[in-house]
Amino acid sequence: MSQAAPAPAAPVLQRMLDCRRLQDGAARLACFDREAATVDAAQQSREIVVLDRDTAERGARAVETERRRFEPFEGVIAGARQQPNGRWVLRLEDGTQWVQADSETVRREPRAGQTVAVRPAAMGSYFANIDGQRAIRVRPLN
């Protein structure tokens, strides 16, 4: 399986990376110092934003959860666990987690591979139909 080529660097960052090509040590250091200051200023002004992969993925999941706030969606359960209070925590394949917010009994235990249909409900909660069962009230965990 081949990996996709990395995205091109922002021009302000690429100029700093290009400093590595200079053979003269003093010129290379001066280039790095100058371009690092430019990168720092660009980051401070939010012209560029530098994130590690985990932070970017968490942000993408948060955006996806926010997008879902007002529209119904379907997902697939990747895992489910029951809390000591009897309420279920559902982890979907997209990485989001939903916790049961009511005390309704789930007739058939949720398990990986089942579909779940989620739609907005009142007061910031949602209804979830797990594998076609009667809806339970849930709220997002992440």
Side-chain angles (χ1 to χ4, degrees):
M1 178 185 222
S2 66
Q3 290 192 346
V12 66
L13 182 58
Q14 188 60 54
R15 287 192 300 272
M16 185 176 76
L17 296 174
D18 290 344
C19 292
R20 296 178 296 183
R21 295 185 188 145
L22 297 174
Q23 296 299 314
D24 179 66
R28 188 171 53 252
L29 179 58
C31 181
F32 270 119
D33 285 347
R34 179 184 67 249
E35 297 305 327
T38 304
V39 168
D40 185 43
Q43 190 172 6
Q44 295 297 322
S45 69
R46 300 259 189 218
E47 179 184 335
I48 64 169
V49 178
V50 180
L51 303 172
D52 61 30
R53 181 179 307 215
D54 287 342
T55 302
E57 287 174 353
R58 278 194 312 273
R61 282 193 302 270
V63 166
E64 181 66 12
T65 299
E66 183 63 26
R67 181 187 68 77
R68 291 178 174 175
R69 184 172 305 272
F70 300 106
E71 58 187 72
F73 71 94
E74 282 195 10
V76 177
I77 297 174
R81 64 180 168 81
Q82 195 169 23
Q83 298 177 316
N85 64 6
R87 296 180 180 182
W88 286 93
V89 176
L90 309 173
R91 182 175 45 85
L92 303 188
E93 287 183 345
D94 67 2
T96 60
Q97 293 188 70
W98 299 81
V99 64
Q100 186 177 359
D102 62 19
S103 53
E104 290 291 320
T105 301
V106 177
R107 290 183 311 213
R108 292 184 316 273
E109 292 187 1
R111 60 182 190 278
Q114 291 179 324
T115 59
V116 59
V118 180
R119 66 185 187 283
M123 312 264 298
S125 67
Y126 303 81
F127 287 120
N129 295 86
I130 302 166
D131 206 32
Q133 296 183 66
R134 181 177 164 171
I136 60 171
R137 192 175 295 269
V138 295
R139 63 178 171 76
L141 264 182
N142 50 351

